[in-house]
């Protein structure tokens, strides 16, 4: 059995009932096969792959909190410190009822390669809880966040592990967590990113993942002789990534015609009204039915269906495994020529393969959505030097980073004989830097 196959079997055996983690490992290892097989004995001797698929540390803890009626609840919480070869652990905190250890491990594993691709000194980590902030009062969310940080603070710090937002963790949650960290540890430091601007946040961090997705997509199109201007785009999700992807796509001259949430989706052939979408989602925290009710050109549909709309470009920006094989077939049949992932692993492996086999330009999330964590690293730099950069300064660094990421993965794909395979390119480019650092640091 080849080394790659051996390690994948070991991962499945040692991490039972974690299908998302298996999926993420399989996708990366398949891409790395050409690299590993060139130097298999050296990698095997150092157990390099076993070390990279095994987190350095996994923290599991309970979070008790009291609701507005005096009832006590207990949630499960996680922080997986996956790999610190190239810098302090860095990755978001997801608050969603679907969160379990396997989901956090898949996200933490992806984060290693994503963070490496940014070119910045950040290692991979991820965390979260099965707490659902939806429908909770501000006081309940604060109670949860304070209890969560009362335990988590023991394991994080500005130079060791710097969490950030993710699904369900926005500016409000980061604020409550930061306040509790400062209170317990008595230090004012950049221990979290995605902070508010009045207490150490970075301009353009809110916009960064969505904007970065579009900067990279624009570069990918340009390098393939295409232009984003005038194109029709479908987007899924209506959270942080989706909203700012929508905004930047429109600024670049494209028309975005869909958004979705976990209960339904909107088709707006006139183009999504971003100001209205922000009002509904960021201010009122309401459902998309409110968007459709306020806009005559918009249709609301229950369930899922974004990928059935005719488009040139598709940007999945909601969650993992939301673009399935049948969706990929519908996109290809409707003439879609580019897919870039705003969310983490939104496209299943068979759907990805179908898109690639049918000539669709496909950029995986670990490259396409890396603008968020890259700007978080810029927030860390600003905190360390106790300065704040202007929006334009951060945005222009973000643009450079995204363009560089695209060229790195494009070059890696070409070097290993897989031109145009940006999944392989991203995994290989991300892996090589981490592997080199791990080798240099010895068996740790
Ligand atoms: P938000 O919580 O702001 O938004 C998530 C959106 O996706 C909401 O519209 C939500 O709908 C929808 N959604 C969530 N879960 C599901 C589900 N199971 N089925 C259908 N729809 C769902 O999260 P973000 O925008 O921050 O994150 C979106 C994705 O991008 C995630 O995969 C995240 O890991 C990834 N990402 C985020 C980064 C960031 O900087 N924020 C950075 C890099 C990646 P509803 O409101 O109904 O739940």
């Amino acid at each position: 059995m080849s080394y790659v196959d051996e390690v994948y079997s070991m991962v499945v055996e040692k991490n039972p009932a974690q299908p998302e983690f298996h999926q993420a490992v399989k996708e990366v290892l398949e891409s790395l096969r050409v690299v590993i097989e060139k130097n298999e004995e050296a990698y095997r001797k150092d157990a390099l792959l076993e070390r990279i698929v095994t987190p350095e540390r996994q923290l599991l803890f309970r979070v008790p909190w009291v609701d507005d009626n005096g009832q006590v609840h207990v949630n499960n919480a996680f922080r997986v410190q996956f790999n610190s070869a190239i810098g302090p652990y860095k990755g978001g905190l997801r608050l969603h009822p679907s969160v379990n250890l396997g989901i956090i491990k898949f996200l933490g594993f992806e984060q290693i390669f994503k963070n490496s691709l940014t070119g910045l000194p950040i290692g991979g980590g991820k965390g979260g809880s099965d707490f659902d902030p939806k429908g909770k009062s501000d006081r309940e969310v604060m109670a949860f966040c304070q209890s969560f940080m009362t335990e988590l603070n023991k394991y994080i710090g500005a130079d060791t592990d710097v969490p950030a937002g993710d699904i369900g963790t926005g500016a409000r949650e980061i604020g409550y967590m930061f306040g509790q960290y400062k209170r317990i540890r008595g230090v004012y430091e950049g221990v979290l990113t995605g902070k508010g601007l009045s207490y150490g946040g970075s301009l353009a961090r809110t916009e960064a993942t969505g904007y970065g997705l579009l900067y990279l997509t624009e570069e990918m199109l340009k390098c393939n002789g295409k232009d984003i201007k005038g194109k029709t785009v479908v987007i899924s999700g209506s959270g942080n990534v989706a909203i700012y992807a929508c905004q930047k796509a429109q600024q670049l001259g494209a028309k975005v015609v869909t958004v979705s949430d976990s209960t339904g989706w909107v088709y707006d052939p006139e183009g999504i009204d971003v100001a209205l979408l922000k009002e509904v989602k960021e201010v009122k925290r309401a459902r998309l039915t409110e968007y459709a009710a306020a806009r005559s050109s918009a249709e609301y549909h229950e369930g899922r269906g974004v990928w059935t709309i005719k488009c040139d470009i598709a940007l999945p920006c909601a969650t993992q495994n939301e673009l399935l094989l049948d969706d990929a077939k519908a996109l290809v049949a409707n003439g879609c020529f580019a897919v870039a992932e705003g969310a983490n692993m939104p496209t299943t492996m068979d759907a990805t393969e179908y898109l690639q086999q049918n000539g669709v330009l496909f950029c995986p999330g670990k490259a396409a959505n890396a603008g968020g964590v890259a700007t978080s690293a810029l927030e860390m730099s600003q905190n360390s030097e106790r300065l704040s950069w202007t929006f334009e300064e951060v945005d222009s660094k973000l643009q450079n980073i995204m363009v560089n990421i695209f060229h790195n993965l494009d070059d890696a794909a070409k070097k290993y004989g897989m031109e145009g395979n940006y999944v392989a390119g991203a995994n290989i480019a991300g892996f090589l830097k981490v592997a080199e650092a791990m080798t240099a640091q010895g068996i740790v």
Side-chain angles (χ1 to χ4, degrees):
M1 204 190 273
S2 77
Y3 180 38
V4 162
D5 293 324
E6 255 172 49
V7 171
Y8 179 66
S9 303
M10 181 274 285
V11 166
V12 173
E13 195 186 321
K14 283 198 179 178
N15 302 271
Q18 297 182 355
E20 293 85 0
F21 180 51
H22 303 167
Q23 183 183 342
V25 171
K26 189 174 180 60
E27 188 240 295
V28 170
L29 290 185
E30 283 304 329
S31 302
L32 296 181
R33 204 179 275 280
V34 291
V35 180
I36 302 297
E37 284 176 359
K38 279 199 169 141
N39 211 356
E40 183 165 317
E41 282 322 302
Y43 282 128
R44 192 198 290 270
K45 184 158 183 284
D46 275 0
L48 199 286
L49 290 183
E50 287 89 334
R51 286 190 286 143
I52 214 164
V53 298
T54 307
E56 289 176 14
R57 195 170 298 104
Q58 306 182 53
L59 308 158
L60 281 74
F61 52 97
R62 72 166 190 234
V63 181
W65 59 278
V66 186
D67 73 16
D68 288 344
N69 299 317
Q71 176 64 50
V72 175
H73 298 263
V74 178
N75 284 101
N76 295 323
F78 312 87
R79 183 73 185 165
V80 174
Q81 298 180 329
F82 224 118
N83 191 299
S84 62
I86 63 168
Y89 310 106
K90 182 91 198 85
L93 296 169
R94 178 172 293 191
L95 299 182
H96 193 272
S98 64
V99 164
N100 56 44
L101 183 59
I103 299 255
I104 298 300
K105 278 166 67 180
F106 120 62
L107 290 163
F109 183 68
E110 290 277 297
Q111 198 82 43
I112 302 170
F113 306 99
K114 179 190 307 196
N115 293 3
S116 165
L117 282 172
T118 65
L120 300 167
I122 38 179
K126 197 82 187 185
S129 168
D130 57 6
F131 172 78
D132 188 359
K134 241 183 262 162
K136 306 286 191 303
S137 69
D138 284 350
R139 196 212 58 81
E140 288 172 331
V141 171
M142 182 170 73
F144 169 82
C145 290
Q146 290 183 338
S147 181
F148 178 72
M149 188 50 82
T150 299
E151 183 62 24
L152 187 67
N153 88 86
K154 299 169 192 166
Y155 312 104
I156 62 176
D159 293 317
T160 49
D161 183 356
V162 184
D166 190 67
I167 291 179
T169 307
R172 174 181 61 174
E173 290 76 16
I174 292 288
Y176 293 146
M177 290 179 194
F178 183 77
Q180 185 73 349
Y181 179 88
K182 181 166 63 74
R183 183 185 192 196
I184 296 176
R185 297 280 292 261
V187 281
Y188 204 109
E189 61 175 9
V191 66
L192 292 162
T193 57
K195 299 185 291 298
L197 294 177
S198 56
Y199 62 95
S202 173
L203 285 161
R205 173 61 188 91
T206 307
E207 295 83 355
T209 309
Y211 277 23
L213 171 65
L214 267 298
Y215 294 144
L216 185 139
T217 302
E218 192 186 25
E219 189 66 15
M220 174 171 79
L221 295 190
K222 209 164 83 186
C223 292
N224 285 279
K226 296 186 188 315
D227 187 358
I228 194 166
K229 207 162 177 203
K231 300 297 183 296
T232 301
V233 178
V234 295
I235 288 183
S236 64
S238 51
N240 173 263
V241 180
I243 289 173
Y244 293 95
C246 210
Q247 186 170 72
K248 184 51 75 179
Q250 296 190 348
Q251 286 171 7
L252 295 174
K255 192 202 290 188
V256 180
V257 294
T258 64
V259 284
S260 67
D261 64 18
S262 49
T263 47
W265 58 287
V266 158
Y267 173 50
D268 191 341
E270 299 278 295
I272 295 293
D273 177 340
V274 176
L276 175 62
L277 182 64
K278 281 186 178 181
E279 172 70 19
V280 171
K281 285 293 173 184
E282 292 185 341
V283 182
K284 295 187 180 160
R285 295 175 188 270
R287 312 310 307 166
L288 282 173
T289 42
E290 290 213 13
Y291 175 95
R295 189 154 157 97
S296 58
S297 56
E299 296 167 12
Y300 177 80
H301 301 269
E302 289 289 328
R304 51 197 300 287
V306 161
W307 316 121
T308 62
I309 297 295
K310 188 171 169 49
C311 67
D312 302 304
I313 299 163
L315 304 175
C317 296
T319 192
Q320 66 273 2
N321 294 331
E322 52 156 327
L323 200 166
L324 314 176
L325 180 58
D326 282 346
D327 303 320
K329 288 182 177 168
L331 286 171
V332 169
N334 280 328
C336 170
F337 62 74
V339 174
E341 297 183 322
N344 284 313
M345 209 169 74
T347 315
T348 55
M349 272 179 88
D350 52 359
T352 303
E353 279 161 17
Y354 185 84
L355 293 168
Q356 289 177 318
Q357 282 158 7
N358 284 276
V360 175
L361 302 172
F362 181 88
C363 189
K366 63 171 72 70
N369 69 32
V373 74
T375 308
S376 277
L378 300 180
E379 182 174 331
M380 289 165 71
S381 302
Q382 293 169 76
N383 292 163
S384 295
E385 60 177 19
R386 304 206 191 284
L387 289 174
S388 300
W389 305 339
T390 63
F391 187 96
E392 290 69 29
E393 222 173 330
V394 180
D395 190 40
S396 108
K397 286 186 182 0
L398 170 65
Q399 275 190 54
N400 280 336
I401 290 169
M402 298 314 294
V403 167
N404 282 339
I405 290 177
F406 177 73
H407 287 286
N408 271 345
L409 57 91
D410 191 31
D411 291 348
K414 284 178 183 151
K415 185 171 169 198
Y416 285 90
M418 290 182 281
E419 180 160 0
N421 185 342
Y422 303 135
V423 173
N427 287 329
I428 292 170
F431 169 78
L432 287 174
K433 181 177 174 189
V434 176
E436 189 185 318
M438 287 174 72
T439 305
Q441 289 169 27
I443 306 306
V444 292

